[in-house]
Amino acid sequence: MTAAQPTAGVSPLDLLGVDHLLGEDERDIQDTVRRFVDDRVRPHLADWYESGLDGGAARELAREAGALGLMGMHLDGYGCAGTNAVSYGLACMELEAGDSGVRSLVSVQGSLAMYAIRTFGSEEQKQRWLPGMAEGSLIGCFGLTEPDFGSNPAGMRTRARRDGDDWVLDGTKMWITNGSIADVAVVWARIEDPADGDGQGAVRGFLVPAGTPGFTAGEVTRKLSLRASVTSELVLDGVRLPADAVLPEVASLRGPLSCLNEARFGITFGALGAARDCLHTAVDYARSREVFDRPLASFQLTQAKLADMTLELQKGFLLAMHLGRLKDAGDVEPRQVSLGKLNNVREALDIARECRTILGASGITLEYPALRHANNLESVLTYEGTSEVHQLVVGQALTGESAFT
Amino acid sequence: MKIVALVKHVPDATAERTFDDADHTTDRTGVDGLLSELDEYAIESALTVADGGDAEVVALTMGPSGAADAIKKALQMGADSGVHISDDALHGSDAPATARVLAAALRRIGDVDLVLTGMASTDGGMSVVPAMLAEHLDLAHVGFVGEFSVDDGTVRCRRDGDTASESVEAALPAIVSVTDQINEPRYPSFKGIMAAKKKPVETLSLADLDIDPSTVGLAAATSVVDEVTKRPERTQGEIVTDEGDGGTRLVEYLAAQKFV
């Protein structure tokens, strides 16, 4: 038997012609980010992953991303590009086709820190921080998660109390992307004394500039995932802030949770970028790698893997696009975004692992992206709401029963 | 001041490029077109001048309808307006005809202080159009420019040759062709991408430029492509097995190929 003459391979997403779902601006923005990632990100990824992304490189990358318009791109005004949500999703996909850590830098800046200031900040706060953050010269981080409170942010121990006109913050925030390179941290804290306003138990957001006495950020090292991203612990030890440091427009967990919903939306697209990169690599590798004197791609088991992965990638993209169009129409619900994040990250992780098997031993090196992406996606699976939490969100929507506690 | 950047829409150099079977012109179907990469340096140069002062940047192209993409890319990068010369009669035009048409368009645009071009197109690669343009318009042309500045009606250039760099000055208006070493072209920003659609693009026909269609196009070309032969497939390299004389044999090979 002779293997059929190989024809030119079709790119996994081209197979379905999903480009037809995109408008001209959306395609041009996607192409621009893809080129940016190929030129400015991809050549450095192995080094960043091997040695960790240092602060200088992260700042340079942030400035370049800012010049493009990536920072807070779907927000309006204050120097932000003001694109639609689908364009933001596509940009996340291209960034994460490079590396989830690079996408995280942009997600946290735009969807968490900038979105919080844009949505809940005062005019003065927006003027002070957003233009610099949009151009990437200022970096923001977002402190909600604590060492003992991840899926249960309501249990947070970080406290804010009033002292005269000032606020004083005490507590610890953990797993904070961009933390130790940030110029400003959006920190969420609980109000303890009802006399401090908003009632006991209210959760308020505070803008904490880097260098504020009592505020320190230590980098988390020895990571096996998201190595091309800065992860930190924030310590707030009697941090004294002026009265105007509080975000005035929200006084409950609705604030940080709505920010997370923005970031999750981007991840729904982003994770597919990592999967697509793995799949491209696996297809190319299978076509050129010979085993038993035949291309690996000519084996039925390999083709079955590739076909199934392509199917999941395309289903995930259609899901993401649907959510994007809903979001642009202004009526996407958080539980719908949960569906997207749950499915697409889970499938992306499966695809990355499966691609690794096609690459064999080569797949464990930094010469190929599969295991780097798979390791990154392990973090993406649990951050911004774990898969389990998103299952419970969907379960509650279906049954009316809350099973969180 | 008014700066015109000449841009060309070319077949993607990373794809397989072919000639049309019938008339041996570049086959533009079945291959993605894009803005010639070397022209991005000209646009970046124009935008850099504009960033530093009060200047208007116009992107000018000649080509079929798809060439509007080259204008769009220039507008996305930051050019203010575009002019697209599109006419079926232009199909197959050679460099002299192209230069004549572009010269007419530049006269029509009017009050042009500086024309910037790349060092060559990435398809034809002849590098002669800017010099021909200069003759038509009676302007100075400085080629292979690796650095320039505009000041007080003068453009001061560093022209990079193989063995020496020369400092050349020309009075404006002038035509300057820049190399791919002059700058790092910017990416279109998202704001630029969204704003580009609202920028004016004028489409001109040969009639608009008062050019007789019989003087351009394939039939009027001063040179004719008789036949086209595909470059032979790359042959497998020669493998030298080291039997103690590997180094010597490598040097012999390099010497035979006149590399050393």
Side-chain angles (χ1 to χ4, degrees):
Chain A
M1 190 191 82
T2 50
Q5 194 62 27
T7 51
V10 178
S11 170
L13 281 174
D14 291 348
L15 198 55
L16 205 55
V18 293
D19 256 14
H20 292 293
L21 300 176
L22 305 180
E24 188 180 348
D25 282 357
E26 291 163 350
R27 270 201 294 267
D28 286 345
I29 287 172
Q30 183 180 21
D31 286 348
T32 301
V33 182
R34 186 177 299 193
R35 192 171 145 194
F36 171 74
V37 168
D38 284 346
D39 294 348
R40 312 295 298 172
V41 174
R42 219 174 270 282
H44 306 292
L45 281 176
D47 285 342
W48 289 345
Y49 210 82
E50 184 79 5
S51 317
L53 180 67
D54 68 56
R59 287 194 156 275
E60 174 67 20
L61 182 63
R63 270 189 291 269
E64 291 184 5
L68 216 59
L70 277 164
M71 298 306 204
M73 63 186 276
H74 63 310
L75 305 179
D76 270 324
Y78 305 96
C80 302
T83 71
N84 67 3
V86 167
S87 297
Y88 171 58
L90 294 167
C92 286
M93 187 160 100
E94 295 308 323
L95 289 169
E96 198 148 356
D99 191 273
S100 304
V102 174
R103 199 266 306 139
S104 296
L105 169 77
V106 171
S107 286
V108 168
Q109 175 90 344
S111 278
L112 296 183
M114 292 175 73
Y115 179 84
I117 297 170
R118 180 74 181 85
T119 311
F120 306 119
S122 66
E123 186 56 33
E124 292 72 26
Q125 289 168 337
K126 293 176 202 174
Q127 298 280 2
R128 177 177 175 191
W129 295 107
L130 291 178
M133 293 173 85
E135 66 184 32
S137 55
L138 294 176
I139 295 180
C141 69
F142 183 88
L144 175 66
T145 299
E146 300 188 355
D148 295 322
F149 298 92
S151 295
N152 177 25
M156 72 170 69
R157 293 210 181 103
T158 300
R159 292 289 184 264
R161 61 181 168 81
R162 282 215 106 136
D163 185 24
D165 281 345
D166 292 347
W167 290 95
V168 178
L169 267 59
D170 284 283
T172 305
K173 298 291 179 181
M174 193 59 185
W175 313 119
I176 308 305
T177 298
N178 300 349
S180 35
I181 57 167
D183 300 284
V184 61
V186 177
V187 173
W188 300 92
R190 192 173 287 286
I191 309 294
E192 204 153 30
D193 187 340
D196 288 343
D198 300 314
Q200 189 175 15
V203 170
R204 301 300 302 259
F206 295 87
L207 300 182
V208 185
T212 305
F215 174 51
T216 51
E219 191 167 348
V220 177
T221 54
R222 302 192 175 199
K223 292 182 294 183
L224 292 170
S225 176
L226 294 183
R227 292 181 53 79
S229 171
V230 174
T231 311
S232 313
E233 176 188 46
L234 309 183
V235 177
L236 302 126
D237 183 8
V239 173
R240 181 172 290 275
L241 299 168
D244 63 5
V246 70
L247 295 173
E249 301 300 330
V250 74
S252 72
L253 268 181
R254 183 180 67 80
L257 294 183
S258 67
C259 300
L260 291 173
N261 203 49
E262 288 295 301
R264 274 169 206 150
F265 169 78
I267 292 168
T268 298
F269 277 86
L272 299 176
R276 187 191 71 199
D277 194 46
C278 293
L279 195 45
H280 272 156
T281 306
V283 170
D284 284 350
Y285 186 87
R287 284 161 61 94
S288 59
R289 168 77 176 176
E290 300 232 333
V291 288
F292 299 104
D293 302 321
R294 283 163 51 198
L296 179 56
S298 71
F299 288 83
Q300 291 184 350
L301 282 178
T302 306
Q303 295 202 358
K305 288 179 184 179
L306 295 175
D308 286 350
M309 289 190 286
T310 299
L311 194 56
E312 289 308 327
L313 182 67
Q314 305 198 24
K315 283 152 67 178
F317 186 77
L318 293 176
L319 172 56
M321 279 301 296
H322 174 65
L323 294 175
R325 294 296 178 218
L326 284 181
K327 187 165 165 57
D328 279 326
D331 51 8
V332 73
E333 295 174 25
R335 60 194 191 177
Q336 293 174 315
V337 177
S338 284
L339 283 171
K341 202 247 173 193
L342 173 62
N343 182 76
N344 288 7
V345 178
R346 206 160 58 178
E347 295 303 331
L349 179 56
D350 281 351
I351 289 172
R353 287 173 175 158
E354 188 87 313
C355 287
R356 212 292 293 169
T357 69
I358 291 176
L359 292 160
S362 296
I364 71 154
T365 69
L366 281 171
E367 290 294 306
Y368 295 93
L371 192 59
R372 174 170 57 80
H373 281 311
N375 276 3
N376 284 338
L377 288 166
E378 292 285 354
S379 295
V380 181
L381 188 70
T382 57
Y383 76 16
E384 318 287 5
T386 63
S387 283
E388 292 80 358
V389 161
H390 292 301
Q391 285 174 315
L392 295 178
V393 169
V394 175
Q396 184 180 21
L398 293 172
T399 65
E401 300 272 3
S402 168
F404 290 91
T405 54
Chain B
M1 82 185 275
K2 191 186 283 185
I3 306 172
V4 177
L6 300 189
V7 298
K8 187 174 184 187
H9 193 246
V10 299
D12 187 348
T14 61
E16 171 134 351
R17 293 174 295 175
T18 56
F19 294 100
D20 187 276
D21 288 337
D23 63 8
H24 298 152
T25 57
T26 308
D27 188 358
R28 293 174 191 277
T29 54
V31 55
D32 285 341
L34 43 71
L35 170 65
S36 175
E37 197 184 318
L38 292 171
D39 293 344
E40 289 189 23
Y41 299 92
I43 298 165
E44 178 62 39
S45 295
L47 296 174
T48 305
V49 175
D51 288 346
D54 189 24
E56 175 196 353
V57 176
V58 182
L60 169 63
T61 196
M62 174 184 125
S65 60
D69 263 4
I71 296 273
K72 185 179 86 171
K73 179 77 182 285
L75 297 177
Q76 290 179 341
M77 288 173 72
D80 299 293
S81 63
V83 176
H84 179 187
I85 311 155
S86 182
D87 197 307
D88 290 345
L90 286 166
H91 174 77
S93 291
D94 61 359
T98 303
R100 230 169 33 244
V101 173
L102 290 174
L106 285 165
R107 280 192 207 99
R108 182 183 159 110
I109 291 169
D111 300 325
V112 176
D113 299 289
L114 180 62
V115 178
L116 289 167
T117 81
M119 58 197 275
S121 60
T122 57
D123 57 351
M126 297 179 69
S127 300
V128 294
V129 168
M132 290 175 167
L133 261 181
E135 284 300 311
H136 283 298
L137 298 170
D138 200 19
L139 300 179
H141 170 238
V142 190
F144 290 104
V145 170
E147 191 181 356
F148 76 86
S149 62
V150 176
D151 187 31
D152 204 19
T154 304
V155 57
R156 293 180 175 79
C157 308
R158 192 191 75 225
R159 178 160 64 191
D160 292 333
D162 285 343
T163 52
S165 288
E166 301 162 320
S167 295
V168 182
E169 281 184 17
L172 296 180
I175 300 178
V176 171
S177 307
V178 301
T179 69
D180 57 356
Q181 303 300 310
I182 192 166
N183 54 41
E184 192 169 333
R186 66 193 69 185
Y187 299 96
S189 72
F190 300 164
K191 279 183 191 167
I193 288 172
M194 293 187 290
K197 282 201 301 247
K198 300 182 192 93
K199 293 178 178 176
V201 178
E202 188 181 14
T203 306
L204 299 176
S205 66
L206 287 172
D208 293 327
L209 296 174
D210 215 9
I211 290 175
D212 178 355
S214 68
T215 63
V216 299
L218 193 60
T222 49
S223 60
V224 177
V225 178
D226 285 328
E227 62 178 330
V228 173
T229 310
K230 220 176 154 166
R231 185 164 47 193
E233 294 287 326
R234 197 173 287 185
T235 53
Q236 180 136 22
E238 184 183 334
I239 294 172
V240 174
T241 309
D242 186 13
E243 288 162 353
D245 61 348
T248 311
R249 290 176 60 194
L250 281 179
V251 171
E252 281 169 5
Y253 173 81
L254 292 171
Q257 304 294 320
K258 301 201 188 323
F259 285 125
V260 292

